[in-house]
Tab-separated table of all heavy atoms in Angstrom:
chain	number	residue	atom	x	y	z
H	92	TRP	N	-5.362	12.166	12.145
H	92	TRP	CA	-6.641	12.424	11.288
H	92	TRP	C	-6.176	13.146	10.118
H	92	TRP	O	-5.462	14.124	10.237
H	92	TRP	CB	-7.626	13.186	12.152
H	92	TRP	CG	-7.890	12.510	13.441
H	92	TRP	CD1	-7.288	12.419	14.515
H	92	TRP	CD2	-9.222	11.940	13.749
H	92	TRP	NE1	-8.005	11.812	15.464
H	92	TRP	CE2	-9.151	11.422	15.009
H	92	TRP	CE3	-10.279	11.533	12.966
H	92	TRP	CZ2	-10.121	10.752	15.550
H	92	TRP	CZ3	-11.380	10.823	13.610
H	92	TRP	CH2	-11.305	10.490	14.941
H	93	THR	N	-6.765	12.871	9.032
H	93	THR	CA	-6.522	13.652	7.827
H	93	THR	C	-7.866	14.197	7.332
H	93	THR	O	-7.988	14.860	6.285
H	93	THR	CB	-5.925	12.853	6.662
H	93	THR	OG1	-6.688	11.766	6.419
H	93	THR	CG2	-4.530	12.374	6.910
H	94	GLY	N	-8.869	14.000	8.038
H	94	GLY	CA	-10.224	14.512	7.785
H	94	GLY	C	-11.104	14.317	8.929
H	94	GLY	O	-10.811	13.725	9.866
H	95	GLU	N	-12.454	14.639	8.857
H	95	GLU	CA	-13.376	14.600	9.879
H	95	GLU	C	-13.421	13.066	10.415
H	95	GLU	O	-13.595	12.783	11.568
H	95	GLU	CB	-14.712	15.176	9.397
H	95	GLU	CG	-15.000	16.627	9.251
H	95	GLU	CD	-15.093	17.225	10.562
H	95	GLU	OE1	-16.264	17.076	11.182
H	95	GLU	OE2	-14.168	17.858	11.115
H	96	ARG	N	-13.582	12.207	9.417
H	96	ARG	CA	-13.798	10.864	9.851
H	96	ARG	C	-12.759	9.977	9.003
H	96	ARG	O	-12.952	8.953	8.634
H	96	ARG	CB	-15.110	10.257	9.642
H	96	ARG	CG	-16.124	10.772	10.771
H	96	ARG	CD	-17.583	10.386	10.439
H	96	ARG	NE	-18.002	11.060	9.364
H	96	ARG	CZ	-18.534	12.158	9.184
H	96	ARG	NH1	-18.520	13.012	10.326
H	96	ARG	NH2	-18.919	12.810	8.204
H	97	THR	N	-11.570	10.629	8.878
H	97	THR	CA	-10.542	10.027	8.056
H	97	THR	C	-9.229	9.820	8.800
H	97	THR	O	-8.828	10.847	9.478
H	97	THR	CB	-10.111	10.692	6.764
H	97	THR	OG1	-11.426	11.020	5.968
H	97	THR	CG2	-9.254	9.912	5.777
H	98	LEU	N	-8.640	8.609	8.878
H	98	LEU	CA	-7.549	8.275	9.760
H	98	LEU	C	-6.379	8.011	8.958
H	98	LEU	O	-6.486	7.367	7.866
H	98	LEU	CB	-7.938	7.100	10.609
H	98	LEU	CG	-9.049	7.184	11.562
H	98	LEU	CD1	-9.515	5.933	12.083
H	98	LEU	CD2	-8.805	8.211	12.702
H	99	ALA	N	-5.167	8.294	9.430
H	99	ALA	CA	-3.971	7.953	8.987
H	99	ALA	C	-3.410	6.776	9.652
H	99	ALA	O	-3.415	6.783	10.868
H	99	ALA	CB	-2.874	9.203	9.009
H	100	VAL	N	-3.021	5.775	8.882
H	100	VAL	CA	-2.535	4.442	9.384
H	100	VAL	C	-1.166	4.137	9.017
H	100	VAL	O	-0.936	4.250	7.801
H	100	VAL	CB	-3.568	3.331	9.109
H	100	VAL	CG1	-3.234	2.060	9.691
H	100	VAL	CG2	-5.040	3.724	9.375
H	101	THR	N	-0.339	3.597	9.935
H	101	THR	CA	0.976	3.164	9.594
H	101	THR	C	1.062	1.764	10.019
H	101	THR	O	0.711	1.374	11.121
H	101	THR	CB	2.139	3.918	10.349
H	101	THR	OG1	1.997	5.359	10.021
H	101	THR	CG2	3.531	3.513	10.027
H	102	SER	N	1.458	0.935	9.011
H	102	SER	CA	1.768	-0.451	9.374
H	102	SER	C	2.977	-1.020	8.650
H	102	SER	O	3.457	-0.427	7.698
H	102	SER	CB	0.461	-1.287	8.990
H	102	SER	OG	0.547	-1.695	7.594
H	103	PRO	N	3.503	-2.203	8.996
H	103	PRO	CA	4.578	-2.782	8.191
H	103	PRO	C	4.399	-2.860	6.684
H	103	PRO	O	5.312	-2.983	5.997
H	103	PRO	CB	4.833	-4.102	8.879
H	103	PRO	CG	4.176	-4.010	10.223
H	103	PRO	CD	3.035	-3.142	9.997
H	104	ARG	N	3.097	-2.913	6.405
H	104	ARG	CA	2.661	-3.165	5.025
H	104	ARG	C	2.828	-1.655	4.210
H	104	ARG	O	2.487	-1.716	3.078
H	104	ARG	CB	1.351	-3.741	4.841
H	104	ARG	CG	1.335	-5.082	5.338
H	104	ARG	CD	-0.059	-5.745	5.453
H	104	ARG	NE	-0.877	-4.986	6.407
H	104	ARG	CZ	-0.879	-5.095	7.700
H	104	ARG	NH1	-0.009	-5.971	8.322
H	104	ARG	NH2	-1.659	-4.428	8.643
H	105	GLY	N	2.896	-0.722	4.969
H	105	GLY	CA	2.940	0.626	4.494
H	105	GLY	C	1.944	1.573	5.098
H	105	GLY	O	1.283	1.150	6.080
H	106	ARG	N	1.782	2.741	4.489
H	106	ARG	CA	0.911	3.840	5.224
H	106	ARG	C	-0.275	3.849	4.290
H	106	ARG	O	-0.272	3.629	3.112
H	106	ARG	CB	1.609	5.155	5.113
H	106	ARG	CG	2.748	5.227	6.203
H	106	ARG	CD	3.119	6.674	6.419
H	106	ARG	NE	3.822	7.208	5.246
H	106	ARG	CZ	3.385	8.296	4.680
H	106	ARG	NH1	2.471	9.102	5.310
H	106	ARG	NH2	4.115	8.884	3.696
H	107	TYR	N	-1.455	4.159	4.870
H	107	TYR	CA	-2.649	4.181	4.183
H	107	TYR	C	-3.732	4.997	5.002
H	107	TYR	O	-3.457	5.420	6.178
H	107	TYR	CB	-3.311	2.905	3.830
H	107	TYR	CG	-3.484	1.881	4.876
H	107	TYR	CD1	-4.831	1.587	5.463
H	107	TYR	CD2	-2.516	1.129	5.489
H	107	TYR	CE1	-5.064	0.814	6.498
H	107	TYR	CE2	-2.728	0.227	6.461
H	107	TYR	CZ	-4.029	0.016	7.055
H	107	TYR	OH	-4.202	-0.860	7.900
H	108	GLU	N	-4.825	5.371	4.368
H	108	GLU	CA	-5.802	6.201	5.082
H	108	GLU	C	-7.118	5.449	5.091
H	108	GLU	O	-7.411	4.512	4.246
H	108	GLU	CB	-6.057	7.374	4.405
H	108	GLU	CG	-4.855	8.393	4.438
H	108	GLU	CD	-5.136	9.776	3.917
H	108	GLU	OE1	-6.245	10.051	3.247
H	108	GLU	OE2	-4.333	10.583	4.047
H	109	VAL	N	-7.809	5.625	6.151
H	109	VAL	CA	-9.281	5.018	6.157
H	109	VAL	C	-10.222	6.082	6.419
H	109	VAL	O	-10.234	6.768	7.293
H	109	VAL	CB	-9.328	3.977	7.446
H	109	VAL	CG1	-10.691	3.444	7.344
H	109	VAL	CG2	-8.175	2.962	7.368
H	110	GLU	N	-11.126	6.094	5.340
H	110	GLU	CA	-12.162	7.077	5.480
H	110	GLU	C	-13.506	6.420	5.688
H	110	GLU	O	-13.857	5.615	4.738
H	110	GLU	CB	-12.197	7.962	4.090
H	110	GLU	CG	-13.249	9.046	3.951
H	110	GLU	CD	-13.400	9.787	2.645
H	110	GLU	OE1	-12.443	9.411	1.887
H	110	GLU	OE2	-14.264	10.560	2.491
H	111	ALA	N	-14.181	6.792	6.720
H	111	ALA	CA	-15.349	5.953	7.069
H	111	ALA	C	-16.563	6.955	7.372
H	111	ALA	O	-16.443	8.081	7.493
H	111	ALA	CB	-15.040	5.152	8.384
H	112	LYS	N	-17.895	6.369	7.337
H	112	LYS	CA	-18.897	7.059	7.643
H	112	LYS	C	-19.061	7.339	9.078
H	112	LYS	O	-19.663	8.214	9.616
H	112	LYS	CB	-20.279	6.585	7.055
H	112	LYS	CG	-20.172	6.407	5.559
H	112	LYS	CD	-21.382	5.728	5.041
H	112	LYS	CE	-21.244	5.347	3.571
H	112	LYS	NZ	-21.476	3.967	3.176
H	113	ALA	N	-18.585	6.356	9.803
H	113	ALA	CA	-18.556	6.416	11.304
H	113	ALA	C	-17.276	6.002	11.895
H	113	ALA	O	-16.580	4.936	11.240
H	113	ALA	CB	-19.711	5.692	11.952
H	114	VAL	N	-16.732	6.603	12.971
H	114	VAL	CA	-15.468	6.061	13.594
H	114	VAL	C	-15.855	5.730	15.066
H	114	VAL	O	-16.603	6.514	15.847
H	114	VAL	CB	-14.494	7.194	13.668
H	114	VAL	CG1	-13.201	6.633	14.393
H	114	VAL	CG2	-14.192	7.767	12.230
H	115	VAL	N	-15.403	4.532	15.546
H	115	VAL	CA	-15.556	4.271	16.954
H	115	VAL	C	-14.100	4.280	17.630
H	115	VAL	O	-13.328	3.437	17.160
H	115	VAL	CB	-16.175	2.817	17.151
H	115	VAL	CG1	-16.384	2.456	18.642
H	115	VAL	CG2	-17.519	2.832	16.529
Side-chain angles (χ1 to χ4, degrees):
W92 303 76
T93 56
E95 286 282 287
R96 284 176 294 279
T97 308
L98 300 165
V100 184
T101 302
S102 86
R104 298 169 296 281
R106 290 193 291 126
Y107 54 102
E108 291 185 355
V109 180
E110 182 183 351
K112 296 177 192 132
V114 179
V115 178

